[in-house]
Amino acid sequence: MMEAAVIGQGVSESRSTARSAVLAIGVGGLVAAALDLLQACVLFGHEIILVIAEGLVGDRGAQGGVFYYGLGVVLHVFIALCFAAFYYAVSRKLTFMTEYPLVCGLCYGAGVQLVMMLIVLPHCAFHQRDPIPVNGMLEGLAIHMVVVGLPIAYAVSRFAKNA
């Protein structure tokens, strides 16, 4: 009888951990995606969504239309959720990431910007032809530190601290 209670308790704990992980990744990733897409649309116009689609399908994405706008949004959200999942996974081993979300979130947002600029964009179908100006890189770092890093770090800290 005692074993059944312990086994049942373990299942309950694993469900709670899984629920916390999904909530942390979902909230952090979706908030980061929404804020990042909003700031990108404000700075560059709504056509930036088509540029995201171009990253996967090439010049066809520039045609516009509901499909390519939807594809751009889905890709953007997928990438943000991947970054949130990565932060969550690393925070399971490096517990200070949930204890200090402000500092870790700002650093993580800078890391996200660097990964996007130095790895993702050069290897996608939308090849950036011009070098990125230094002020553009610094602006991107500052923006992603706030709108991507902080929401992800605070969501993981809030929803998955003890998961």
Side-chain angles (χ1 to χ4, degrees), residues 22-147:
V22 168
L23 191 58
I25 293 166
V27 169
L30 292 175
V31 170
L35 291 175
D36 189 39
L37 198 55
L38 177 64
Q39 70 80 21
C41 287
V42 167
L43 289 178
F44 305 110
H46 69 281
E47 299 297 317
I48 194 70
I49 298 170
L50 294 176
V51 173
I52 296 168
E54 279 184 72
L56 182 65
V57 298
D59 291 337
R60 292 177 300 179
Q63 295 172 358
V66 174
F67 175 76
Y68 290 112
Y69 275 104
L71 179 62
V73 171
V74 167
L75 289 171
H76 187 74
V77 170
F78 175 74
I79 291 168
L81 288 170
C82 287
F83 278 119
F86 183 77
Y87 189 94
Y88 173 82
V90 172
S91 74
R92 301 303 84 195
K93 294 293 181 188
L94 304 177
T95 57
F96 66 86
M97 291 174 72
T98 59
E99 295 169 11
Y100 304 103
L102 177 65
V103 173
C104 293
L106 292 173
C107 292
Y108 190 69
V112 166
Q113 172 68 8
L114 293 173
V115 166
M116 291 301 296
M117 288 287 129
L118 301 175
I119 297 171
V120 174
L121 289 178
H123 292 94
C124 70
F126 174 74
H127 299 290
Q128 181 149 352
R129 290 156 187 87
D130 301 326
I132 301 165
V134 173
N135 62 341
M137 181 60 107
L138 293 175
E139 182 180 278
L141 280 169
I143 288 170
H144 284 89
M145 289 168 73
V146 174
V147 304

